[in-house]
Amino acid sequence: MNGVADLGTGSPEQVPSTEIKIEELPHRRRKRLKQETLETSGASTVLLPDPLIPPDASSQLSTLSSSLPSQSLRRLLTTLLALSKPRLSVLIVLTTTTAYSLYPVPALLLPSTTASPSLSTLTLLFLTTGTALSCASANALNMLMEPEHDAKMSRTRNRPIVRGLIGKRGALAFAAISGAVGLGALYYGVNPTVAFLSVLNIFLYAGVYTPMKRLSVVNTWVGALVGGIPPLMGWAAAAGQSATGNGGWQELLFGDSSAGGWLLAGLLFVWQFPHFNALSWTIREEYKNAGYRMLAWTNPRMNGRVALRYSLLFVPVCVGLWWFGVTDRGFLVTSSVVNAWIVREAWRFWRREGHRGSARGLFWASVWHLPVVMVLAMVHKKGLWEGIWKSAVGEEERESEEDDIWEKEDHTLEADGAHIMKSTVQTS
């Protein structure tokens, strides 16, 4: 009874303040907290905290390796795999093999005119293995050259050399062995031009890009060049199988059908900027503290402009793939949808200068953009669906039917000719 009386006669001042907070709607709570932050800091705007990017595969593998017995083979293999940056290596291998598959096979090599597949599976195996090992070598050299700077960044401080899971001498031996085996596979199993491009890429990545990161923002353009070479390797590998001359670098890189390879290289070159500029913006302070000169902190406004400008170049590159006969016309439509998405995110990234989730939006758009465009290019490969249609309707049966028709017409003509000759003889 007393509780009921107290509830009925209680004044508003007696209602616990916690009940009012429970009834506060979520969006009003966020608005209140934002206003309180403004009042306490005196700032005119509130910048949301930078979105965290997931740890890379090397860091995850280093954590796994450190938990294994020190003398075990599994720990050694896990450490070496971490040293090779597996996700980056897989991406490079995929872009290389995609270019290999997109090469327009000449008519003389089509399966309809030969008993063997149009492009060599063994060559593809050597290309894949050699590219993966070359990537592992370049990535190991990259880690070998900057462990003291990697230790200053949350994204890289868990790498194997920084953690002491492998010494510099061991990392150098791994880089040398994987590089030698990989380049040998490309030279003897594919062709010398592809091997040269791989040597060039290792040099640019480890010898130019890595030290330049502490000297100039131009390092981003050098890194983009490194990313553009693997598709050219895949294209040159396929071109070497249909070379009509001596198969030299002039024919493979600057021949009549080389435009597609350069366009695919351009696609990867262009893609580096929206992807890396968005990624680097989220950890720009760490890059600054580590001494790496990136546009994300040296010139944030230009960082956004560069990302937007290069995102716009996806459109002419995709049009070029159709124009030079690599893809069919449908690729213009499907790729335009994906390109419009990344351009929109790049525009938001530029306008908002990376804030309000725009950096995260552009980063994930770039992560999905590249594989989607690559898959679309393979789906729309010039002549692919025509070949599938012919196989589905039975081109050989249709040709045999046409041969029967022509044979019947020949018999009819022969019969008519014989009848005319007989009539002529009888008349004479």
Side-chain angles (χ1 to χ4, degrees):
M1 295 293 293
N2 291 338
V4 173
D6 293 340
L7 182 62
T9 59
S11 61
E13 289 76 13
Q14 295 175 332
V15 179
S17 59
T18 54
E19 295 184 8
I20 298 177
K21 291 184 179 180
I22 292 175
E23 295 176 357
E24 187 177 20
L25 296 176
H27 72 281
R28 293 186 179 277
R29 179 176 179 276
R30 289 194 296 268
K31 185 176 181 180
R32 176 176 59 79
L33 292 175
K34 180 177 179 180
Q35 185 62 32
E36 289 176 357
T37 305
L38 280 172
E39 292 174 354
T40 56
S41 63
S44 58
T45 58
V46 174
L47 302 180
L48 298 178
D50 297 343
L52 296 176
I53 59 176
D56 60 9
S58 294
S59 297
Q60 294 174 339
L61 288 170
S62 296
T63 301
L64 174 61
S65 178
S66 62
S67 65
L68 298 173
S70 59
Q71 301 299 324
S72 66
L73 177 62
R74 186 182 175 190
R75 174 171 177 150
L76 175 62
L77 294 178
T78 304
T79 300
L80 296 179
L81 185 60
L83 203 60
S84 66
K85 298 184 183 178
R87 287 180 184 170
L88 178 59
S89 297
V90 168
L91 175 63
I92 293 174
V93 169
L94 289 178
T95 58
T96 305
T97 54
T98 298
Y100 182 84
S101 67
L102 285 174
Y103 184 82
V105 182
L108 291 176
L109 291 180
L110 289 174
S112 59
T113 58
T114 61
S116 61
S118 55
L119 288 176
S120 171
T121 305
L122 184 59
T123 301
L124 178 61
L125 177 62
F126 277 110
L127 176 66
T128 303
T129 305
T131 302
L133 290 174
S134 299
C135 290
S137 175
N139 290 328
L141 290 173
N142 170 263
M143 292 190 191
L144 182 64
M145 297 175 65
E146 48 187 18
E148 63 276 9
H149 306 300
D150 284 345
K152 302 174 183 177
M153 300 181 62
S154 60
R155 181 169 172 265
T156 56
R157 65 170 58 122
N158 202 35
R159 285 178 173 175
I161 299 180
V162 179
R163 290 283 300 272
L165 298 174
I166 189 172
K168 290 187 176 181
R169 184 175 300 178
L172 180 60
F174 171 73
I177 294 173
S178 60
V181 176
L183 294 175
L186 294 176
Y187 186 89
Y188 293 105
V190 186
N191 59 62
T193 301
V194 175
F196 168 76
L197 290 174
S198 185
V199 171
L200 177 63
N201 229 18
I202 294 175
F203 169 74
L204 286 175
Y205 187 67
V208 179
Y209 167 73
T210 299
M212 186 177 284
K213 288 195 294 183
R214 301 182 58 79
L215 301 176
S216 171
V217 295
V218 179
N219 73 82
T220 305
W221 278 261
V222 177
L225 183 62
V226 171
I229 291 179
L232 201 58
M233 292 170 56
W235 195 269
Q241 298 181 53
S242 59
T244 56
N246 60 2
W249 63 270
Q250 298 94 333
E251 182 179 3
L252 301 187
L253 298 180
F254 301 100
D256 295 335
S257 60
S258 62
W262 289 102
L263 285 168
L264 291 172
L267 178 68
L268 266 294
F269 178 84
V270 166
W271 176 82
Q272 307 291 327
F273 294 95
H275 177 73
F276 180 75
N277 287 20
L279 183 150
S280 61
W281 192 91
T282 63
I283 51 176
R284 59 195 181 281
E285 291 301 325
E286 293 193 19
Y287 274 122
K288 182 178 181 180
N289 295 333
Y292 292 133
R293 299 193 62 80
M294 304 296 175
L295 281 175
W297 70 268
T298 60
N299 193 337
R301 189 66 177 171
M302 183 179 178
N303 187 59
R305 289 199 305 270
V306 169
L308 177 59
R309 288 171 182 171
Y310 281 92
S311 296
L312 291 171
L313 291 179
F314 282 124
V315 177
V317 169
C318 290
V319 172
L321 289 173
W322 162 74
W323 181 264
F324 287 97
V326 179
T327 63
D328 59 32
R329 188 170 296 179
F331 180 68
L332 294 176
V333 179
T334 55
S335 65
S336 296
V337 177
V338 188
N339 291 336
W341 174 37
I342 197 169
V343 168
R344 174 182 176 274
E345 294 297 332
W347 181 82
R348 291 177 65 247
F349 179 70
W350 168 66
R351 286 295 302 270
R352 299 178 180 179
E353 298 186 11
H355 299 293
R356 295 158 58 186
S358 59
R360 179 174 51 192
L362 179 58
F363 172 75
W364 286 111
S366 67
V367 167
W368 284 102
H369 177 272
L370 182 62
V372 170
V373 170
M374 288 290 190
V375 170
L376 288 175
M378 290 189 290
V379 170
H380 290 286
K381 181 180 179 180
K382 187 69 173 291
L384 174 64
W385 292 104
E386 181 181 354
I388 293 176
W389 171 256
K390 288 181 179 180
S391 300
V393 300
E395 183 68 13
E396 294 181 358
E397 295 181 0
R398 189 169 62 184
E399 290 179 355
S400 63
E401 292 176 359
E402 292 177 354
D403 292 339
D404 292 340
I405 294 174
W406 282 107
E407 188 174 352
K408 290 179 181 179
E409 291 183 357
D410 289 341
H411 287 313
T412 302
L413 290 174
E414 290 176 0
D416 291 343
H419 179 70
I420 293 173
M421 289 291 293
K422 184 177 180 181
S423 300
T424 304
V425 171
Q426 291 177 352
T427 303
S428 60

